[in-house]
Amino acid sequence: MDVDERTTADHVGLQEKTITVTVNGNSYQRTVPVRRSLVDFLREDLGLTGSHVGCEHGVCGACTILLDREPIRACLMFAVQADGTELTTVEGLTWGEELHPIQQAFWDHHGLQCGFCTPGFLLTTYDFLREKHGATEPEIREALSGNLCRCTGYQGIVRSVQAADETWER
């Protein structure tokens, strides 16, 4: 019996599955253990280490990526669940050799310090500003409330989002 024909209900069990995903515009086909998290797949199998593994409970936001243009916590999803989807990681934000306006705003307005939480903040901001222009500070704080930072105190992050909102031509 072919591995793909087995079901997870079998006692033998499905140990690996071949998946196809599009990540940052590039298509990948890989055979992965069925219990590998999506963030580990991105980091270990594809070498995309921008998404960070923090709490592994979906609380901190360090592993935030976009799945079919929607933000998700990659630590809470198995790689096999992403089969056939389009993923965007922080590496996919750059515009060729240039930083995305959101990345540039975080750089210019000190929205990062150690950088561990930054990828999650960048992708959360991307999703938020894609839908919202002229956001108020309370709206920004609400949009970012699912991402935790232990270094910045959030003032620089909020200023960065405000600056990105002004400079990013969507």
Side-chain angles (χ1 to χ4, degrees), residues 28 30 39-50 91:
Y28 298 93
R30 297 286 192 279
V39 70
D40 286 340
F41 168 73
L42 293 168
R43 293 178 61 79
E44 296 170 17
D45 293 66
L46 301 185
L48 298 170
T49 58
E91 292 93 343

Side-chain angles (χ1 to χ4, degrees), residues 21-66:
V21 292
T22 301
V23 183
N24 302 329
N26 299 307
S27 182
Y28 298 93
Q29 185 174 54
R30 297 286 192 279
T31 301
V32 296
V34 296
R35 297 197 47 84
R36 175 163 292 151
S37 71
L38 183 54
V39 70
D40 286 340
F41 168 73
L42 293 168
R43 293 178 61 79
E44 296 170 17
D45 293 66
L46 301 185
L48 298 170
T49 58
S51 300
H52 295 139
V53 181
C55 68
E56 297 187 83
H57 296 285
V59 176
C60 72
C63 66
T64 302
I65 64 166
L66 302 179

Side-chain angles (χ1 to χ4, degrees), residues 95 100-106 108-109 121-122 124-141 143-144 156-170:
W95 291 356
H100 187 281
I102 294 170
Q103 293 169 308
Q104 189 64 55
F106 269 69
D108 293 341
H109 298 275
F121 273 105
L122 291 171
T124 300
T125 299
Y126 179 89
D127 178 64
F128 174 63
L129 293 182
R130 191 179 61 204
E131 302 291 326
K132 179 78 173 167
H133 186 68
T136 65
E137 183 175 332
E139 289 172 322
I140 293 169
R141 287 185 180 277
L144 301 178
I157 294 171
V158 171
R159 278 194 309 272
S160 298
V161 175
Q162 290 169 326
D165 188 20
E166 294 172 9
T167 59
W168 182 22
E169 295 180 23
R170 322 183 249 306

Side-chain angles (χ1 to χ4, degrees), residues 44-120:
E44 296 170 17
D45 293 66
L46 301 185
L48 298 170
T49 58
S51 300
H52 295 139
V53 181
C55 68
E56 297 187 83
H57 296 285
V59 176
C60 72
C63 66
T64 302
I65 64 166
L66 302 179
L67 182 135
D68 292 333
R69 300 190 63 172
E70 295 296 323
I72 61 127
R73 303 292 202 238
C75 73
L76 295 179
M77 187 172 182
F78 292 122
V80 295
Q81 293 174 290
D83 189 23
T85 64
E86 183 176 331
L87 308 173
T88 304
T89 68
V90 69
E91 292 93 343
L93 281 185
T94 58
W95 291 356
E97 295 295 316
E98 294 182 33
L99 294 176
H100 187 281
I102 294 170
Q103 293 169 308
Q104 189 64 55
F106 269 69
W107 177 271
D108 293 341
H109 298 275
H110 311 288
L112 50 96
Q113 282 186 16
C114 82
F116 192 82
C117 65
T118 304

